[in-house]
Amino acid sequence: MGMQPLSGIKVIDMTQFESGTVCTETLAWLGAEIWKVERPVTGEQGRYSAVNPGVDNYGFVILNMNKKSITCNLKSKEGVGLIRSLLAEADVFVENMAPGTIERLGLGYEDCRAVNDQLIYASIKGFSRSSPYADYPAFDPIAAYMGGFVACTGTPEFPVKSGISVADSGTGMTCALAIVSALLQRQRQGIGQRVDVAMQDFMIGLGRAAWEPYYNNGKIPPRRVGNGMPLEDVAPAGTYPCAPGGVNDQIHVYCSRAPGNPQFARLCRIIGHEELIDDPRMATPQSRFQYKDELDALITEWTSRRTKTEAMQILAEAGIPAGAMLDVADFDNDDRYLEQGIIVQVDHPVYGPMKMPGFAPKMSANEIEYKPAPALGEHNEEVYGQVLGLTRQELEALRDKGAI
C-alpha cells in the first residue's frame, strides 16, 4: 500500500459527539494522525455506556477508529500548556464545543494562530458565527428543524425528522472536505486559515432541491408528500409492503416523470395489468396521481407476494427504479457489503470482531487499514513523549497534578 493522502498530517482533535468525531475519523481514514484529546479518568462524553458500564459505548467505538487518545485536563494551566505545545507541531485543530467554550479555555482561533500561523483551525457549531442564533446550543434535530430539512419531510399534516443524524454526520464530512481543501491551499499559497462549518448552513444547502417546488408553486413551507415525489404530484411513487410482512419488509417504487418514459409500461406488464398501459386515466405520470389509490392497490397486490429483495431484483432488472428498505441487520447479514468494503470488520480488544460502516469513497491508489478506537489515554506516552519530548518522570508529575 502506498502513502495515504494525508500521511504526515497531525490533527489535534478536540471534538465529541457525532459531528466532530465523524470529521476527524474521516481525516484518520485518509491517513492523518489524530490526537484525540479527552478528559482524564472519564474521557469524552461519547465513551459513556449505559448498556455496558465501564466499557466504551458502541457509538464511541464506531466513531473513533484509527485515532490516538491522549488525556488532558483543560481546566488546568498545565493541561492547556500541553495543547499549546502540541499546536506548534500540528497541522490541523478541530473542535465542536458549545459556543464560547474553546475561547474561555484560551484556545480560540487567534490564540492558536499566535502559536502556529500555518494552522488549519476548524470549528463545527450549530449556527454560524454571524447568525443571530450563534450562541444557541444545538444538536442534530435542532439543526434539522432550523435548516429546513424537517419542513420537507413527513406528511402534509405532520413533519417528521430523519431517524439518522443527517446534520451531524453530514456536517462532519463537509468539514473534513473543507479541511483537506485548506491543506491544499496551504501547500500552494503557504497560508493557514480558519474553517467554520455550521450545522444549520449545511442542512440549508443539503435541501437545495426543495427550492424547485417552492418556485414552482410559491407555497410555504415546501411540499411534504410522505413517500411521494417531492418535486411533482406523480404516480407511481411510493412505498409498498412485501412478504413476509415485517416492519421493514417494504420496497420503494418510482417511475420516471419524464414524458414518454417506458418504465410505467414495463411495470404494468410485470404486475400483470397490461390494460393500464392504454388506460387514458394512466396516460401521464400526473394523471396517474389522480388515481394513485387504485394504482397503489394493484402494485401492493404484486409486491406483497414477494420479498423486498425479490421484488427489487425483478423490477430493477427491468429498468424500473426500485429499492428495498434495508436496515442494519440486512447489512450485517449480507457478506457482500464486507466484500465491497462498505462494511468493515474491526477486532476490538473488549468487544471482539465488530462490523461497522467504513469509508464510502474508494480510491484506486489507497487502501485503508481500519484500526479499533483507542483506549482512554492509550497514546499519552507516544504523543507527549515522542512529539513533545516529555520524560516518564515528567508525565508522572503531570498525572499527579491531574493535568493528564
Side-chain angles (χ1 to χ4, degrees):
M1 182 178 69
M3 182 181 293
Q4 290 181 281
L6 297 184
S7 292
I9 297 296
K10 307 287 194 300
V11 180
I12 299 176
D13 179 1
M14 306 284 287
T15 71
Q16 55 187 353
F17 304 119
E18 187 170 339
S19 63
T21 53
V22 165
C23 172
T24 52
E25 187 176 55
T26 302
L27 299 176
W29 285 340
L30 289 170
E33 182 172 336
I34 309 297
W35 301 332
K36 184 173 180 63
V37 181
E38 301 188 69
R39 288 172 294 192
V41 183
T42 59
E44 75 139 271
Q45 295 184 52
R47 280 192 186 267
Y48 303 156
S49 176
V51 177
N52 297 307
V55 180
D56 289 344
N57 182 24
Y58 288 118
F60 178 89
V61 173
I62 292 169
L63 294 170
N64 289 282
M65 285 189 279
N66 292 36
K67 301 181 185 180
K68 296 180 177 180
S69 171
I70 57 176
T71 53
C72 182
N73 183 357
L74 296 173
K75 294 183 178 179
S76 70
K77 64 178 183 180
E78 293 89 354
V80 173
L82 285 171
I83 300 303
R84 293 180 69 85
S85 296
L86 285 176
L87 280 169
E89 309 297 329
D91 299 284
V92 180
F93 181 98
V94 189
E95 66 89 20
N96 70 330
M97 296 183 181
T101 302
I102 199 74
E103 288 79 11
R104 289 192 293 271
L105 292 171
L107 294 170
Y109 173 60
E110 294 300 335
D111 300 310
C112 294
R113 186 171 179 272
V115 177
N116 181 355
D117 65 0
Q118 296 290 293
L119 188 71
I120 308 303
Y121 185 102
S123 291
I124 298 174
K125 294 288 184 283
F127 306 98
S128 68
R129 288 189 294 144
S130 59
S131 168
Y133 318 118
D135 295 330
Y136 289 12
F139 285 100
D140 178 270
I142 307 304
Y145 273 82
M146 294 288 287
F149 187 77
V150 183
C152 301
T153 57
T155 66
E157 298 79 19
F158 194 77
V160 179
K161 72 177 183 63
S162 170
I164 59 174
S165 301
V166 177
D168 270 341
S169 278
T171 304
M173 287 185 281
T174 299
C175 187
L177 171 63
I179 289 169
V180 172
S181 300
L183 287 168
L184 179 61
Q185 188 173 0
R186 186 182 71 175
Q187 178 183 331
R188 291 175 171 176
Q189 298 177 237
I191 58 171
Q193 63 181 290
R194 177 171 189 157
V195 174
D196 288 293
V197 186
M199 295 165 70
Q200 182 193 33
D201 296 357
F202 167 76
M203 294 303 287
I204 291 173
L206 188 66
R208 66 194 64 172
W211 289 72
E212 180 185 337
Y214 169 66
Y215 278 119
N216 282 342
N217 58 42
K219 293 181 180 178
I220 301 174
R223 294 160 45 82
R224 284 199 301 268
V225 293
N227 292 322
M229 165 54 67
L231 299 179
E232 190 177 3
D233 287 334
V234 295
T239 303
Y240 305 93
C242 296
V247 64
N248 287 335
D249 289 321
Q250 313 260 355
I251 185 173
H252 190 83
V253 180
Y254 166 64
C255 289
S256 173
R257 62 188 175 123
N261 189 285
Q263 290 171 0
F264 178 68
R266 294 172 185 169
L267 175 65
C268 293
R269 293 187 183 99
I270 288 173
I271 66 174
H273 287 280
E274 292 189 40
E275 75 279 3
L276 297 178
I277 297 174
D278 297 320
D279 188 330
R281 300 176 305 160
M282 306 291 171
T284 69
Q286 295 76 17
S287 67
R288 292 195 289 268
F289 184 81
Q290 306 303 315
Y291 306 94
K292 68 181 296 293
D293 291 343
E294 178 182 339
L295 179 58
D296 285 347
L298 297 176
I299 297 172
T300 296
E301 180 184 4
W302 183 86
T303 60
S304 61
R305 299 197 303 269
R306 293 159 180 82
T307 68
K308 60 187 179 183
T309 51
E310 290 171 344
M312 175 177 65
Q313 183 176 0
I314 294 170
L315 295 174
E317 289 181 355
I320 300 165
M325 184 186 294
L326 301 183
D327 55 33
V328 173
D330 291 313
F331 305 134
D332 183 41
N333 295 321
D334 189 338
D335 287 341
R336 289 175 297 182
Y337 291 101
L338 271 176
E339 295 165 3
Q340 295 167 30
I342 300 169
I343 301 297
V344 300
Q345 183 165 294
V346 177
D347 291 324
H348 189 269
V350 176
Y351 291 120
M354 291 182 64
K355 292 180 184 177
M356 57 191 80
F359 188 52
K362 300 296 178 283
M363 305 168 70
S364 64
N366 293 277
E367 183 177 347
I368 299 171
E369 179 184 359
Y370 292 96
K371 301 175 183 178
L376 179 62
E378 179 181 345
H379 301 92
N380 277 352
E381 290 192 17
E382 177 184 336
V383 176
Y384 291 139
Q386 296 180 14
V387 178
L388 298 184
L390 298 182
T391 66
R392 288 192 174 183
Q393 291 76 17
E394 289 172 318
L395 289 173
E396 286 297 331
L398 288 169
R399 288 191 186 95
D400 293 340
K401 291 181 179 180
I404 61 174

